[in-house]
């Protein structure tokens, strides 16, 4: 009876260990998928806005506004002139030049930038900025004209970190084994039968960052479940 009881206990413990191993592996894989999805969502959000500009709803000076009013253009709200700002000079903070501040980086880091501006809001008496970097900054009192997100890989701690607009780098992802970045460059001076030449290159081969049209990110994650 004792022998049969020990045999039953051994079989039950074996089944329990197998079940525990399968459950842990599935949970670990699910956690990795969620972390990867979060990281790509954060990076993708900043990349999609990279290089965006402010739409100035009243670019006219007083002289040009008077001329527009005299010609009848200024009297029609649908014909009022608007313009995208091409350059945001520094006014106590960091300037934004889309030609140089949109996308830069290395093989293991990525920096994105776009125009920061304030606008009137229904819920606030003063104008506020609705655009934020990867850490939810900068603060309203910040004078920067650029929203900056800097993604870097810390190999010593296996973390993907983010910083920008003077904010200290903070980890946004753990258990990172590797982080690599490649850049898709469009060269309009070299044409093919189907259009302009597109090349997938490393950072050292990017001679003009304004020609970068897309970014390829490779992220390698590992779990905490022992195998």
């Amino acid at each position: 009876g004792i022998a049969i009881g020990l045999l039953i206990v051994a079989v039950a413990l074996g089944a329990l260990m197998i079940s525990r191993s399968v459950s842990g592996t599935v949970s670990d894989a699910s956690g990795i998928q969620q972390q990867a999805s979060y990281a790509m969502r954060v990076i993708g959000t900043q990349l999609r806005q990279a290089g965006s500009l402010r739409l100035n709803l009243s670019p006219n000076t007083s002289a040009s506004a008077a001329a527009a009013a005299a010609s009848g253009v200024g009297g029609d709200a649908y014909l009022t002139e608007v313009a995208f700002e091409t350059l945001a000079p520094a006014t106590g903070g960091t300037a934004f030049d889309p030609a140089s501040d949109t996308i830069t980086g290395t093989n293991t880091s990525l920096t994105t930038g776009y125009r920061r501006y304030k606008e009137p809001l229904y819920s606030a008496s003063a104008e506020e900025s609705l655009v934020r970097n990867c850490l939810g900054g900068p603060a309203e009192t910040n004078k920067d004209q650029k929203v900056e997100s800097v993604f870097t890989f810390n190999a010593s701690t296996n973390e993907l970190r983010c910083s920008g607009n003077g904010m200290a780098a903070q980890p946004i992802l753990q258990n990172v084994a590797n982080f690599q970045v490649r850049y898709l460059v469009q060269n309009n001076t070299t044409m093919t039968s189907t259009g302009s030449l597109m090349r997938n290159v490393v950072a050292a081969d990017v001679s003009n960052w304004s020609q970068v049209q897309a970014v390829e990110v490779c992220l390698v994650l590992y779990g905490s479940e022992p195998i």
Side-chain angles (χ1 to χ4, degrees):
I2 294 175
I4 294 175
L6 290 176
L7 182 60
I8 293 174
V9 171
V11 172
L13 285 176
L16 178 63
M17 293 301 294
I18 293 175
S19 175
R20 168 69 179 80
S21 176
V22 172
S23 175
T25 302
V26 171
S27 177
D28 211 27
S30 176
I32 292 175
Q33 292 279 2
Q34 291 178 9
Q35 290 186 76
S37 176
Y38 169 75
M40 291 302 177
R41 184 167 63 251
V42 172
I43 296 174
T45 298
Q46 299 302 319
L47 278 173
R48 281 191 292 271
Q49 297 180 93
S52 60
L53 304 169
R54 178 194 176 207
L55 179 62
N56 192 341
L57 299 179
S58 56
N60 291 331
T61 62
S62 58
S64 58
S71 63
V73 174
D76 193 332
Y78 296 100
L79 297 178
T80 302
E81 295 180 4
V82 297
F84 280 106
E85 294 182 349
T86 57
L87 178 66
T91 56
T94 304
F96 174 65
D97 185 351
S100 58
D101 298 332
T102 298
I103 293 177
T104 57
T106 67
N107 294 346
T108 58
S109 67
L110 175 65
T111 301
T112 66
Y114 50 94
R115 176 72 162 93
R116 177 176 182 262
Y117 59 90
K118 296 183 178 182
E119 55 188 341
L121 301 178
Y122 175 77
S123 58
S125 58
E127 293 188 348
E128 296 181 4
S129 176
L130 295 178
V131 290
R132 296 289 186 268
N133 61 19
C134 53
L135 294 179
E140 288 298 326
T141 55
N142 191 296
K143 301 297 183 182
D144 289 349
Q145 302 301 306
K146 173 178 66 172
V147 175
E148 179 185 53
S149 293
V150 184
F151 299 94
T152 55
F153 173 52
N154 189 322
S156 62
T157 58
N158 296 108
E159 294 174 339
L160 179 65
R161 296 185 172 185
C162 182
S163 61
N165 295 98
M167 306 172 71
Q170 299 290 332
I172 61 173
L173 197 62
Q174 297 179 339
N175 292 1
V176 180
N178 203 350
F179 178 71
Q180 295 288 327
V181 185
R182 291 174 63 89
Y183 305 90
L184 189 65
V185 176
Q186 178 177 345
N187 186 355
N188 292 328
T189 61
T190 305
M191 305 297 291
T192 65
S193 59
T194 57
S196 59
L197 179 64
M198 305 291 286
R199 297 184 300 121
N200 197 330
V201 300
V202 296
D205 295 330
V206 180
S207 58
N208 185 354
W209 286 99
S210 64
Q211 294 179 344
V212 175
Q213 301 297 315
V215 175
E216 182 183 77
V217 174
C218 179
L219 191 63
V220 182
L221 305 179
Y222 62 90
S224 56
E225 181 73 15
I227 299 177

